[in-house]
Amino acid sequence: MDTFLVLILSFISIVVVNNLVLTKFLGICPFLGVSGRIDMAFGMGMAVTFVVTLSGTITWMIDHWVLMEWGLEVTRYVCFILVIAGAVQLVEMYLRKFFPTLYESFGIFLPLITTNCAILGLCLFINLWEINSLVEAVVLSFGAGVGFTLAICIMAGIRENLELSDVPAALRGAPITLITAGILTLAFMGFAGMIK
Amino acid sequence: MTKISNISKLSETFSAGLWKENPVLRLLLGMCPTLAVTAAVKPALTMSVCVIFVLTCSNIVVSLMRNLLKPHLRILMFTLTIATFVTIADLFLKAFMPEMSTKLGPYIPLIIVNCIIIGRAEACASKNGIMISIVDALGMGLGFTIALCTLASVRELLSTGKIFEFIVMPKFFVPWAAMSMPVGAFVTLGLILGLMNVITRKNA
Amino acid sequence: MSKIIYFTKQSWLLIVASFVFGLIIAVTNSALSQRIESNQTKKLFDLMGQLISGSERFSREYENVTVKTAAGKEIKTDIYKAVDSESKTTGYAFIAEGSGFADKIKLVIALDAKAEKFLGFKVLSSNETPGFGSKISEAYFSNQFIGAPAAILELTKIGSPEKIDNQIVAISGATVSSQAVADIFNTYIDTVRDKLTKGRDK
């Protein structure tokens, strides 16, 4: 029961309290790029959730069972990025073969994900927070994806309304998105300290 | 004759990165480190130096092996090269600037996925000779440095009243703590981009 | 057979590059690893020197002391000993960690030679809210711990920060961070004190 509670807490923590986009500045590029329409944003969020869960789990396993056993921590970054690139490629091939409709809807997002900082960032943070159980690592990876989807969908919802409002000419486009994101981080700061 | 045109091409490549194609302020690339490490000037500068180092090295290596690259293994080679140099930069930081290394934490390895570097490898180094690649890397790196330092000095000045850890604001200045939080990063960058828009519109 | 040739033709550059890059990393690592390790202990010893006055040399006294947190997790820490120029023990110190408001807080906590009093703490790393939680490293809060009895500490909201006892006055606006620091002290103190006093009796 206790471990279950710990898992739920770490899930909530990564989704809202330590939201990767709004408190750690990870995955800002897609956050600004594809948050124009809410269905696109949701598609991107799903794709990221998929890849981040997979790569977070695999990197944890490699880190703990191979790199730390053999004292190869120095090659950690190289291994992590190769795992992520490989995971993206695998997911792409798998989807194209077995779920062509899903592949169509993910479309251009998949190759973009390799350079999404949220994914490598999460793998590094799992290592930094010294997560010692595989289950917790899986939950954290999945939660990070959910948190990313949450943030990007909220942003897309706001931007759809923003199109109708009268924004000063100089701030149109990226600047007003950034400022909105800033105000959004203030809202998410309210969650800080919720979980100890 | 060819020499002169060479030099003018080099200087053009160099200056493009500074203003016209400034990676952060114009192309909106590499936003993660831009927002994350600019709470003060010193970490911002360290970050920029690391990025310049990695960018130059990876551009050189990619440019050297540009004729050997196979199209579908290209991206993999780029990431491998970049990850190697980032690891080296990280080791050097840990050895010679341990304080800074713990402060920047995971944002140093995150240089690997900085879109600027892989973008330059793809757009410039895999098509051009070694000289142009180096100059391009330096120009882009310097443009990145300028953007980061501008943002960092505004934020550090307003959040602590200091720049580069020297006190510059008068005594009655009340530090504006929000500027060193995430909200300060987003709003300041948004306003700087808005300012850029105003300037370019006036010139045009 | 032709398939193998095809594969090698496609990927020889990747394989060669992996070897070369691996070699470069290995060389840099072997050149710098010693320095990186000494940096870590040097920072710890610097902070210990600031906390424990008159100390000259530092050494590791106990390795892997297991401490149980309130949440039931087990953490391991090392206890270090500081001695003065006549190799008399001046105090002990250990690295302690716990969760703060936003992220993990890591402290160096120092005890006197008899393990009866705290000699204060220094923040090794923290990510508390700037302007509020970050005040835990400021003197008016951290000085309360210097000379406090090495026992369970209590956090109060009113009282005098100048009075040295086991009552710690919280920073207004940063109660959670203050509580986190006090909790970190409380998590470790019993185990560490037992270890030190037992070691002395022998």
Side-chain angles (χ1 to χ4, degrees), chain A residues 72-78 80 120 124 127-128, chain B residues 37 46-47 49-55 57 81-112 117, chain C residues 24-25 28-33 35-37 39-40:
Chain A
L72 288 171
E73 282 96 337
V74 65
T75 59
R76 185 176 282 143
Y77 307 150
V78 182
F80 279 16
L120 181 63
L124 293 167
N127 171 259
L128 194 76
Chain B
V37 302
T46 320
M47 184 65 169
V49 172
C50 287
V51 168
I52 292 181
F53 166 76
V54 176
L55 187 55
C57 292
T81 318
I82 297 167
T84 309
F85 287 114
V86 168
T87 310
I88 292 170
D90 185 61
L91 285 172
F92 267 94
L93 263 192
K94 271 191 191 140
F96 297 102
M97 300 172 78
E99 293 278 291
M100 207 35 92
S101 166
T102 44
K103 203 174 207 170
L104 291 172
Y107 293 103
I108 287 292
L110 279 173
I111 296 178
I112 299 173
I117 296 173
Chain C
I24 299 176
I25 292 183
T28 339
N29 186 45
S30 61
L32 296 175
S33 61
R35 213 188 148 100
I36 293 171
E37 252 169 56
N39 272 337
Q40 279 162 354

Side-chain angles (χ1 to χ4, degrees), chain B residues 51-65 77-86 116-122 125-126 133 137, chain C residues 21:
Chain B
V51 168
I52 292 181
F53 166 76
V54 176
L55 187 55
T56 317
C57 292
S58 79
N59 258 12
I60 292 174
V61 172
V62 170
S63 170
L64 282 178
M65 59 188 187
M77 277 309 301
F78 293 167
T79 32
L80 198 66
T81 318
I82 297 167
T84 309
F85 287 114
V86 168
I116 298 175
I117 296 173
I118 203 159
R120 285 337 283 174
E122 171 81 28
S126 63
S133 302
Chain C
F21 289 149

Side-chain angles (χ1 to χ4, degrees), chain C residues 70-89:
Chain C
K73 258 190 175 173
E74 284 186 345
I75 329 174
K76 285 191 173 130
T77 188
D78 299 341
I79 303 177
Y80 294 84
K81 187 167 86 169
V83 291
D84 62 6
S85 45
E86 288 147 17
S87 48
K88 215 178 103 217
T89 311

Side-chain angles (χ1 to χ4, degrees), chain A residues 156-176:
Chain A
I158 297 174
R159 277 182 74 177
E160 281 189 349
N161 284 314
L162 213 58
E163 268 172 25
L164 305 172
S165 54
D166 186 23
V167 178
L171 292 182
R172 265 179 215 153
I176 193 72

Side-chain angles (χ1 to χ4, degrees), chain B residues 4-32:
Chain B
I4 293 168
S5 73
N6 257 347
I7 288 171
S8 75
K9 196 178 177 201
L10 284 182
S11 67
E12 204 174 281
T13 328
F14 184 73
S15 57
L18 294 186
W19 180 259
K20 213 166 68 203
E21 285 176 31
N22 187 300
V24 178
L25 301 175
R26 282 303 165 88
L27 308 178
L28 299 182
L29 293 175
M31 294 310 246
C32 308

Side-chain angles (χ1 to χ4, degrees), chain B residues 162-204:
Chain B
K162 303 170 190 172
I163 279 189
F164 234 96
E165 287 160 18
F166 292 116
I167 300 170
V168 287
M169 286 302 241
K171 259 229 173 89
F172 55 82
F173 175 75
V174 180
W176 204 4
M179 287 310 275
S180 59
M181 294 178 202
V183 56
F186 280 108
V187 172
T188 319
L189 186 61
L191 291 178
I192 288 179
L193 288 183
L195 197 68
M196 291 275 296
N197 282 346
V198 173
I199 293 171
T200 37
R201 201 155 307 164
K202 270 209 182 122
N203 287 348

